[in-house]
Amino acid sequence: RAEWAHALRDRPDLLRRLITGQPGSIMLGPQVADGFNYDVHVATDRLYPIQGEPVGFGIDFGLTPTCVIGQPGHGQRRVYAALTLSHGGVSQLLEQEVLPWLSKYAPWCLRNPGMVYGCYDVSGETGEQADVERSAVQILETKLPGLWFPGPVKWDSRKHVLLSAMHHPGRTPGSVSLQVDPVDAKGLIQSLGGRWHYPVDRQGQVRRDLPKKPNHPWEDYGDAFIYWLWSLTSEAGPPKPLTVETQFSLDRPITVESAIF
């Protein structure tokens, strides 16, 4: 067993499954989220939002729209859910996954847009990934009003905030900053565990300039997670001052029904 463990020292996914008999993600290539550890970063019990506190979101658009939901609290960055929809749009993702989840676990977000903030994929600012009249960001702001701002574009900036989260210690000795819910964020756990990976060329050389694409939904989980992390940094900020119309929408309480219809 010791020799086998030594042979698998570079494959933590196989080490967990074959040596310790524990669940783990299958690594499809060199891990993008270098430092992510199932035993360290995945919570042993379910995580639930802190009642009455603002909730943060990371939104990735495209043909596999994905949303990561979490909060900073108790000295940690806590991910409660990672929701995705294959071959859908942001409207369908919000209506079928995000709003029902909020209604169950964080209903105050639906009553008070001041409790909603997040960071989104800048590609959603155009009409390329939306219906014929509205951009994905406009749909997002209509169905889930709050303070929304664009995420980073350059991979170096995105990679930095990702790896910082993987290696950031908690406030108390022996604790960690990042904790991920084992149930509602299972897809994100699999993504960070190795299904979100860098490509390897024919000579076996790893290319770390960009993660492998296409690689749905694992790349979508990863991107949404980065946008959520970015929303917690001091570098995040709204793209423009609030307009009278936007301020009015933020002052109005909403319900699941009004958000969907």
Side-chain angles (χ1 to χ4, degrees):
R1 289 175 63 88
E3 292 178 354
W4 200 3
H6 179 74
L8 295 175
R9 63 188 182 279
D10 295 326
R11 288 296 304 272
D13 55 332
L14 296 181
L15 188 65
R16 286 183 56 84
R17 295 168 58 217
L18 301 179
I19 302 296
T20 64
Q22 296 177 310
S25 300
I26 299 175
M27 295 183 67
L28 301 180
Q31 192 176 15
V32 174
D34 183 39
F36 178 80
N37 187 305
Y38 192 100
D39 296 321
V40 173
H41 296 116
V42 178
T44 55
D45 299 310
R46 293 296 308 274
L47 299 176
Y48 298 103
I50 302 170
Q51 294 289 322
E53 291 293 323
V55 177
F57 300 79
I59 304 285
D60 185 56
F61 299 123
L63 296 178
T64 311
T66 303
C67 176
V68 167
I69 306 173
Q71 285 177 317
H74 305 295
Q76 297 175 331
R77 283 172 280 193
R78 308 172 68 178
V79 176
Y80 304 125
L83 310 172
T84 191
L85 191 66
S86 179
H87 300 290
V90 65
S91 291
Q92 290 75 24
L93 174 67
L94 293 171
E95 294 167 5
Q96 298 176 24
E97 302 289 342
V98 177
L99 294 177
W101 190 94
L102 290 175
S103 179
K104 183 176 182 178
Y105 296 111
W108 59 91
C109 291
L110 302 178
R111 298 191 296 265
N112 183 1
M115 291 292 175
V116 173
Y117 69 94
C119 190
Y120 58 78
D121 174 8
V122 295
S123 67
E125 294 178 338
T126 68
E128 296 176 1
Q129 298 181 3
D131 59 29
V132 293
E133 296 183 351
R134 296 186 296 170
S135 71
V137 173
Q138 289 174 316
I139 294 173
L140 174 63
E141 292 176 335
T142 300
K143 293 185 177 292
L144 187 58
L147 181 61
W148 294 100
F149 37 88
V153 176
K154 294 183 178 180
W155 175 241
D156 286 345
S157 298
R158 297 162 66 189
K159 181 179 178 180
H160 174 73
V161 73
L162 171 68
L163 297 185
S164 295
M166 297 299 103
H167 299 280
H168 195 282
R171 292 183 179 178
T172 58
S175 67
V176 295
S177 173
L178 178 66
Q179 285 285 274
V180 183
D181 183 87
V183 178
D184 285 351
K186 183 178 179 180
L188 176 62
I189 293 170
Q190 293 174 319
S191 173
L192 299 179
R195 297 193 180 189
W196 185 31
H197 62 95
Y198 288 110
V200 178
D201 62 26
R202 295 180 178 179
Q203 286 72 42
Q205 299 298 314
V206 179
R207 296 176 49 196
R208 296 186 183 272
D209 49 341
L210 287 173
K212 183 183 185 305
K213 290 181 180 288
N215 183 25
H216 304 296
W218 316 116
E219 63 173 280
D220 308 288
Y221 280 122
D223 287 339
F225 177 61
I226 285 178
Y227 296 140
W228 176 74
L229 289 172
W230 190 262
S231 74
L232 304 179
T233 70
S234 60
E235 298 179 70
K240 55 188 176 182
L242 295 178
T243 63
V244 174
E245 292 78 7
T246 304
Q247 184 61 57
F248 175 71
S249 68
L250 291 178
D251 291 338
R252 291 182 298 167
I254 60 173
T255 63
V256 175
E257 289 76 15
S258 66
I260 294 177
F261 299 107

